[in-house]
Amino acid sequence: MFMRDQTAFQAATALRIPFAPQPRDEARRGLVGGARVETDRGWLDIRSVMPGMRVATLDGGFALVRGLSVRTSLGGEEAVHFPGGSLGNCAGLDVMPDSGIVLSDPLAEELFESVDVVVPARALAGRRGIALRPLAAGQAIVELHFDAEEAVYANTGILLHARPGENGQGRSEFTWLTEAQGRALVRLVEGGAGLEG
């Protein structure tokens, strides 16, 4: 009685979405599709996270996702690959090189007066099987945004720094290390068999 004529479909029109390249530092942050984050609905692929969902954070709560920066890789880019178990992560994942990775160790507190420090992901390349590798064109790259700065879990063990708001700026509550400082800290900690994983 209310059934529509199944043979009367209208032709679909493809939408043209112009590509707007991101500034270099923005383009080098985020999780590559396939990485999973803990949400209030369970562990989800980063590509399935939407504004309004809640994501587990370092402080033990669930923070409301306010926005996302999403883009597609164009080819010729590199990502940092973290094999399963390299930092307590349950499975391998790829992260863009300038993404902040939160490391916790008593030695960091001794050296930088903060037990939690943030290092660029690329600073960890060369350790525990972590390596820069080419990123195929067409891969989704997602950066989560919250009301405040957060650290979120990816693949159960890696803590990824998330800036507040879209392109959030301002003073960080975390101690940020340069790539050289991050490499030096990891060498010192591994000498004493610290860091999770």
Side-chain angles (χ1 to χ4, degrees):
M1 173 193 236
F2 296 104
M3 189 159 181
R4 291 192 175 135
D5 181 1
Q6 297 282 336
T7 62
F9 289 109
Q10 294 180 358
T13 303
L15 297 176
R16 299 253 181 231
I17 301 172
F19 171 72
Q22 293 181 325
R24 180 173 158 72
D25 64 329
E26 297 299 315
R28 295 178 50 91
R29 293 179 56 94
L31 285 168
V32 178
R36 299 175 76 78
V37 294
E38 185 179 8
T39 72
D40 54 354
R41 300 172 190 182
W43 287 89
L44 294 178
D45 185 304
I46 191 72
R47 295 170 289 194
S48 298
V49 176
M50 305 290 243
M53 289 182 166
R54 295 186 179 277
V55 174
T57 63
L58 173 63
D59 64 11
F62 282 82
L64 185 66
V65 176
R66 290 293 183 183
L68 306 165
S69 293
V70 182
R71 71 179 187 88
T72 302
S73 61
L74 301 173
E77 296 178 79
E78 289 185 316
V80 179
H81 178 70
F82 290 83
S86 58
L87 278 182
N89 47 311
C90 64
L93 75 154
D94 292 328
V95 175
M96 296 307 288
D98 290 337
S99 298
I101 304 296
V102 180
L103 301 178
S104 299
D105 194 88
L107 186 56
E109 185 171 30
E110 192 175 313
L111 295 171
F112 302 104
E113 299 178 357
S114 176
V115 71
D116 297 319
V117 295
V118 182
V119 301
R122 68 180 175 276
L124 300 171
R127 300 283 189 203
R128 300 181 183 192
I130 301 166
L132 279 167
R133 68 181 190 183
L135 185 61
Q139 296 291 310
I141 300 165
V142 181
E143 187 177 1
L144 302 174
H145 301 293
F146 301 91
D147 284 333
E149 175 181 50
E150 297 287 355
V152 300
Y153 291 96
N155 287 20
T156 69
I158 292 181
L159 271 171
L160 185 75
H161 178 266
R163 297 176 295 177
E166 221 168 298
N167 300 319
Q169 301 297 321
R171 182 165 164 72
S172 176
E173 297 296 320
F174 289 96
T175 300
W176 282 77
L177 304 185
T178 64
E179 182 176 351
Q181 289 172 321
R183 288 185 186 281
L185 175 63
V186 170
R187 278 194 307 271
L188 287 170
V189 168
E190 285 185 345
L195 285 180
E196 294 178 25

